């Protein structure tokens, strides 16, 4: 079985070297078997191994191959839901715990980078969420107040300041969060993998899990050339979840996100775009997110097409978004085009829960996977080592398939059209 090649992304072209992760051959026993070598699985492996557990990670390709190594590399704290929304929906106790937990997720990422010396071009310049139209400003200002009440150093910025700090055209205000930042996500995944290996975990690439079988209170995880017998299994496959566990794939909606990277910008233009090192995304339903890399390339991502592709002809809308938001780049050429699957949930919260005794799943980060997946990995590592399920900072509901999941393509196509019209109307276009 050959290892799948990485997409032609900017991150793959500039990433730190990958650690050696050979295929699994033969039989192993472990305390914890982790299926999936993305941020969730690697973080879980690291924390479990540091606690003294014998850990084996099984990855279908190589660490960071999926969304973890392809995303925009923006480190954004918090859930998509505001603190007030969390408290209203889940009660004062759990809602407040969730808000505080979400607030610290970016801290964890940068702490791990420092602790383990991860070379991933990390920068904590902050994050801006631009308001794409006046109708969204009241909700944004309310969210700022809610975070400030919890002691978070966030601020609302007006149109002029949003334009100055982002360099983008069309935003009428913004949410400024200095807790955020950016990194090369593939390098970060590889750094987490190396840290887990150093802590004693074993990581096997090109080793997709093909079957899960219960055996006398343990679970046998089968791969094409080997097996792992473990007391606890963590399923961490996110947007690339397959049919390994019945119904799990149908509990999330995988959406493709496309990104492009320009050639390095000239100094004059570069100084006009995110001049203080912020990462940028916005409040559109069909979100656009952007940043500069250390070489001055503008990276922009958004809603993708029907397939994973590196064909420039598939990226017309993404390129058009670059020209619309950052007209100062002119007719500059692009070096890289790539896409990956983002796992969305109906609740806009990750699905974290026990599927069966000894089987815990964590997936569905709704576009905020760098920080949230890293922190969730730590939490499910604790669960595998005996932490009560109710102590996790997530609502404990059964992970169930989404009704009519098989109709998602035509439904999503219709929703995209509706959301695009709603965004245009709020922009005044």
């Amino acid at each position: 079985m050959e290892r799948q090649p990485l997409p032609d992304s900017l991150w793959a072209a500039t990433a730190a070297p990958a650690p050696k992760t050979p295929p699994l051959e033969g039989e192993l026993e472990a305390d914890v078997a982790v299926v999936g070598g993305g941020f969730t699985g690697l973080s879980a492996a690291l924390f479990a191994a540091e606690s003294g557990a014998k850990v084996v990670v099984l990855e279908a390709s190589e660490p960071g191959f999926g969304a973890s190594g392809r995303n925009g590399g923006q480190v954004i704290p918090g859930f998509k839901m505001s603190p007030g929304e969390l408290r209203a929906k889940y009660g004062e106790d759990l809602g407040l715990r969730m808000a505080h937990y979400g607030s610290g997720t970016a801290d964890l990422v940068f702490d791990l980078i420092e602790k383990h010396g991860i070379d991933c071009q990390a920068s904590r310049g902050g994050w801006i969420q631009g308001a794409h139209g006046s109708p969204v400003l009241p909700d944004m200002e309310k969210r700022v107040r809610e975070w400030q009440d919890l002691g978070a150093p966030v601020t609302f910025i007006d149109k002029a300041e949003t334009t100055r700090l982002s360099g983008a055209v069309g935003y009428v205000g913004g949410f400024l969060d200095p807790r955020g930042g950016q990194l090369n996500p593939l390098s970060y995944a590889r750094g987490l993998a190396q840290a887990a290996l150093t802590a004693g975990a074993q990581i096997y690439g090109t080793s997709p899990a093909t079957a899960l079988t219960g055996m006398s209170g343990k679970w046998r995880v089968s791969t094409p050339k080997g097996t792992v017998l473990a007391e606890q299994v963590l399923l961490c496959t996110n947007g690339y979840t397959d049919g390994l566990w019945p119904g799990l794939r149908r509990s999330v909606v995988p959406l493709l996100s496309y990104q492009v990277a320009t050639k390095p910008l000239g100094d004059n233009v570069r100084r006009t775009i995110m001049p203080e090192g912020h990462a940028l995304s916005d409040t559109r339903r069909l979100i656009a997110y952007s940043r500069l890399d250390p070489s001055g390339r503008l990276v922009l991502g958004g809603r993708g097409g029907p397939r994973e592709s590196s064909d420039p002809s598939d990226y017309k809308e993404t390129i058009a978004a670059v020209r619309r938001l950052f007209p100062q780049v002119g007719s500059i050429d692009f070096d890289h085009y790539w896409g990956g699957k983002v796992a969305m949930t109906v609740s806009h919260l990750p699905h974290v829960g026990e599927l069966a005794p000894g089987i815990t799943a964590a997936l569905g980060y709704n576009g905020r996977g760098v920080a949230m997946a890293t922190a969730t990995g730590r939490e499910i590592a604790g669960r595998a080592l005996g932490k009560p399920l109710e102590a996790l900072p997530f609502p404990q509901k059964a992970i169930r398939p989404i009704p009519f999941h098989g109709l998602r393509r035509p439904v999503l196509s219709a929703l995209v059209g509706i959301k695009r019209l709603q965004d245009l109307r709020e922009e005044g276009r």
Side-chain angles (χ1 to χ4, degrees), residues 262-279:
T262 68
K263 292 184 178 296
L265 303 173
D267 288 344
N268 289 340
V269 175
R270 184 174 178 174
R271 283 193 288 267
T272 71
I273 297 176
M274 289 163 267
E276 296 185 13
H278 293 91

Side-chain angles (χ1 to χ4, degrees), residues 3 16 33 61 64 100 150 198 209 214 237 300 353 361 366 368-369 372 377 412:
R3 181 167 292 186
S61 184
H100 283 298
L150 294 181
T198 301
T237 44
L300 186 140
N366 301 282
R368 294 197 174 192
M372 187 58 66
L412 283 173

Side-chain angles (χ1 to χ4, degrees), residues 143-233:
R143 184 156 49 94
V144 167
R145 291 192 297 271
E146 290 173 0
W147 274 119
Q148 289 175 341
D149 288 344
L150 294 181
V154 304
T155 54
F156 176 80
I157 51 177
D158 62 18
K159 179 178 180 179
E161 185 68 353
T162 303
T163 301
R164 184 185 75 82
L165 291 176
S166 69
V169 172
Y171 294 127
V172 297
F175 179 100
L176 176 59
D177 192 338
R179 299 171 297 175
Q182 54 192 293
L183 44 70
N184 179 317
L186 181 57
S187 290
Y188 176 56
R190 290 175 173 178
L192 285 178
Q194 184 58 62
L197 288 167
T198 301
Q202 301 175 68
I203 303 177
Y204 296 96
T206 323
S207 301
T210 56
L212 266 174
T213 310
M215 296 186 65
S216 303
K218 295 186 178 182
W219 292 92
R220 182 181 296 278
V221 189
S222 300
T223 72
K225 295 184 178 181
T227 61
V228 179
L229 186 65
E231 295 181 4
Q232 296 286 328
V233 177

Side-chain angles (χ1 to χ4, degrees), residues 343-369:
M344 309 297 287
T345 63
V346 173
S347 66
H348 300 297
L349 295 175
H351 287 170
V352 181
E354 190 174 71
L355 303 177
I359 303 281
T360 301
L363 69 168
Y365 300 107
N366 301 282
R368 294 197 174 192

Side-chain angles (χ1 to χ4, degrees), residues 87-425:
R87 294 160 83 171
K89 186 166 185 177
Y90 298 107
E92 191 65 20
D93 178 52
L94 177 57
L96 194 57
R97 279 201 296 128
M98 292 174 70
H100 283 298
Y101 166 77
S103 180
T105 55
D107 291 337
L108 177 63
V109 170
F110 290 106
D111 287 347
L112 288 174
I113 290 169
E114 181 177 3
K115 176 181 178 180
H116 298 285
I118 298 175
D119 178 15
C120 60
Q121 301 173 336
S123 171
R124 200 166 193 181
W127 167 65
I128 297 170
Q129 184 181 43
H132 68 282
S134 297
V136 305
L137 290 177
D139 283 343
M140 177 175 281
E141 292 174 317
K142 180 182 178 184
R143 184 156 49 94
V144 167
R145 291 192 297 271
E146 290 173 0
W147 274 119
Q148 289 175 341
D149 288 344
L150 294 181
V154 304
T155 54
F156 176 80
I157 51 177
D158 62 18
K159 179 178 180 179
E161 185 68 353
T162 303
T163 301
R164 184 185 75 82
L165 291 176
S166 69
V169 172
Y171 294 127
V172 297
F175 179 100
L176 176 59
D177 192 338
R179 299 171 297 175
Q182 54 192 293
L183 44 70
N184 179 317
L186 181 57
S187 290
Y188 176 56
R190 290 175 173 178
L192 285 178
Q194 184 58 62
L197 288 167
T198 301
Q202 301 175 68
I203 303 177
Y204 296 96
T206 323
S207 301
T210 56
L212 266 174
T213 310
M215 296 186 65
S216 303
K218 295 186 178 182
W219 292 92
R220 182 181 296 278
V221 189
S222 300
T223 72
K225 295 184 178 181
T227 61
V228 179
L229 186 65
E231 295 181 4
Q232 296 286 328
V233 177
L234 304 178
L235 302 182
C236 310
T237 44
N238 205 36
Y240 292 80
T241 300
D242 57 18
L244 179 65
W245 187 267
L248 185 61
R249 172 171 53 189
R250 293 182 285 119
S251 72
V252 297
V253 177
L255 297 178
L256 276 171
S257 183
Y258 279 2
Q259 292 181 73
V260 295
T262 68
K263 292 184 178 296
L265 303 173
D267 288 344
N268 289 340
V269 175
R270 184 174 178 174
R271 283 193 288 267
T272 71
I273 297 176
M274 289 163 267
E276 296 185 13
H278 293 91
L280 173 69
S281 59
D282 61 31
T283 52
R284 291 182 174 88
R285 294 165 182 83
L286 301 180
I287 187 174
Y289 53 94
S290 53
R291 54 171 288 194
L292 292 178
D293 89 327
S295 297
R297 296 178 177 87
L298 175 60
V299 182
L300 186 140
R303 167 74 179 170
R307 60 174 184 157
E308 291 189 14
S309 165
S310 294
D311 183 345
S313 66
D314 289 330
Y315 287 78
K316 293 177 181 178
E317 288 191 16
T318 315
I319 292 171
V322 173
R323 312 287 191 205
R324 183 182 72 251
L325 290 171
F326 301 99
Q328 63 268 50
V329 303
S331 58
I332 193 168
D333 292 330
F334 294 81
D335 275 341
H336 300 279
Y337 311 80
W338 73 98
K341 294 178 184 177
V342 178
M344 309 297 287
T345 63
V346 173
S347 66
H348 300 297
L349 295 175
H351 287 170
V352 181
E354 190 174 71
L355 303 177
I359 303 281
T360 301
L363 69 168
Y365 300 107
N366 301 282
R368 294 197 174 192
V370 179
M372 187 58 66
T374 301
T376 301
R378 178 188 60 185
E379 295 301 310
I380 61 172
R383 169 60 185 161
L385 300 179
K387 186 175 183 177
L389 197 62
E390 59 271 15
L392 300 184
F394 302 98
Q396 290 307 311
K397 294 183 178 180
I399 300 176
R400 301 186 185 282
I402 298 170
F404 308 109
H405 191 271
L407 299 176
R408 69 186 186 281
R409 291 190 184 277
V411 170
L412 283 173
S413 180
L415 285 175
V416 166
I418 293 171
K419 290 176 183 295
R420 182 172 285 113
L421 288 174
Q422 290 174 320
D423 287 341
L424 291 173
R425 184 168 61 249

Side-chain angles (χ1 to χ4, degrees), residues 44-66:
L46 171 59
F47 282 100
E50 286 184 331
S51 296
K54 185 176 181 181
V55 182
V56 173
V57 179
L58 301 172
E59 162 57 39
S61 184
E62 65 175 277
F65 174 81

